[in-house]
Amino acid sequence: MSVISRGFSGRRRSDDGRLPPGQYLERGFPILQATPTPAVDTRTWQFTITTEDGATARRWDWNEFKALPSERLTKDIHCVTKWTKLDTDWRGVSCDVLLDGVDTSAGYVMARSYGGYTTNLPLADLRGGRAWVAYEYDGAPLLPDHGGPARLLVPHLYFWKSAKWVTGFDLMTGDKHGFWEELGYHDYGDPWREQRYQGD
Ligand SMILES: Nc1nc2c(c(=O)[nH]1)N[C@H]1C(S)=C(S)[C@@H](COP(=O)(O)O)O[C@H]1N2
Ligand SMILES: [Mo]
């Protein structure tokens, strides 16, 4: 932090405007999950993309996935339980790379995970440099409790959309509920519009 980043309130200016409504600043990295951490072996790991007709359009094993072009990025993340963590540091493969050339007219995606977790998103939100399949955190392999070996990272939506232990995307013509959405969480989940629950 530079000296000029201190505003008159004494708060770091870099935090100003970065907390969505109803969120508080978290300095640790909480672990939140509906099921125990699954054992995911990179020797059998795979990531697949299926299109709306059920066909498998893309498949990578771990070595193929790690050979894809990756990016290191710094993002703020926002959990619906009201914590926000600033400047989290990741490496991952952009979903633009994963979806490149996939022939589809689907509007939605179900992300699915080892262990059975699912979450739905508009396909457009995985495009445009806004979503990654991340496999490093703070310069080290992503820990299993945080979704390692690889998790979805969609920082512009509440963090439940960032499926840990992700194993692929199923492209869908219409929207469907994933795990938390079926239990009442919002279909889209924009933290800046406080879309926590269905109807928000
Ligand atoms: N597979 C899977 N992914 C998941 C979840 C889960 O229960 N299972 N929980 C979600 C929720 S609610 C949050 S807030 C984040 C938490 O990620 P973290 O444990 O790395 O902080 O993971 C999301 N991804
Ligand atoms: Mo969450």
Side-chain angles (χ1 to χ4, degrees):
M1 275 326 127
S2 68
V3 175
I4 57 160
S5 72
R6 289 202 171 273
F8 68 90
S9 68
R11 204 147 57 100
R12 283 183 303 142
R13 177 167 297 175
S14 63
D15 299 358
D16 287 354
R18 290 172 69 182
L19 268 185
Q23 297 291 108
Y24 69 88
L25 204 54
E26 168 66 54
R27 301 208 181 265
F29 195 170
I31 293 167
L32 281 99
Q33 55 198 47
T35 57
T37 298
V40 181
D41 189 338
T42 53
R43 288 171 300 184
T44 54
W45 183 93
Q46 59 173 19
F47 191 95
T48 55
I49 299 176
T50 66
T51 47
E52 60 273 34
D53 55 7
T56 301
R58 293 287 184 277
R59 182 190 304 274
W60 295 272
D61 66 20
W62 185 250
N63 291 331
E64 292 164 342
F65 172 75
K66 290 292 294 291
L68 294 171
S70 67
E71 300 167 43
R72 191 161 181 173
L73 38 123
T74 302
K75 293 288 171 190
D76 301 344
I77 52 179
H78 314 288
C79 175
V80 73
T81 62
K82 303 200 166 177
W83 56 270
T84 282
K85 186 171 175 56
L86 301 180
D87 295 324
T88 59
D89 167 8
W90 306 87
R91 176 174 292 282
V93 177
S94 169
C95 292
D96 291 312
V97 170
L98 300 173
L99 291 164
D100 186 40
V102 173
D103 184 19
T104 181
S105 52
Y108 299 90
V109 175
M110 191 69 77
R112 57 182 148 73
S113 297
Y114 289 96
Y117 185 81
T118 53
T119 188
N120 53 299
L121 313 96
L123 177 57
D125 286 74
L126 295 186
R127 290 198 162 122
R130 296 188 292 163
W132 296 264
V133 173
Y135 57 86
E136 284 180 15
Y137 181 81
D138 269 351
L142 182 60
L143 293 174
D145 283 347
H146 285 300
R151 77 179 298 162
L152 185 58
L153 177 66
V154 192
H156 71 282
L157 300 177
Y158 280 125
F159 209 33
W160 87 78
K161 299 286 183 182
S162 294
K164 306 203 277 190
W165 320 294
V166 70
T167 189
F169 302 143
D170 295 327
L171 309 190
M172 313 183 288
T173 304
D175 205 1
K176 287 184 190 150
H177 287 158
F179 178 85
W180 281 119
E181 295 82 6
E182 186 61 25
L183 293 172
Y185 282 19
H186 200 275
D187 282 326
Y188 187 61
D190 180 349
W192 295 98
R193 289 189 278 166
E194 252 195 300
Q195 293 173 334
R196 298 177 191 274
Y197 307 107
Q198 299 284 335
D200 281 352

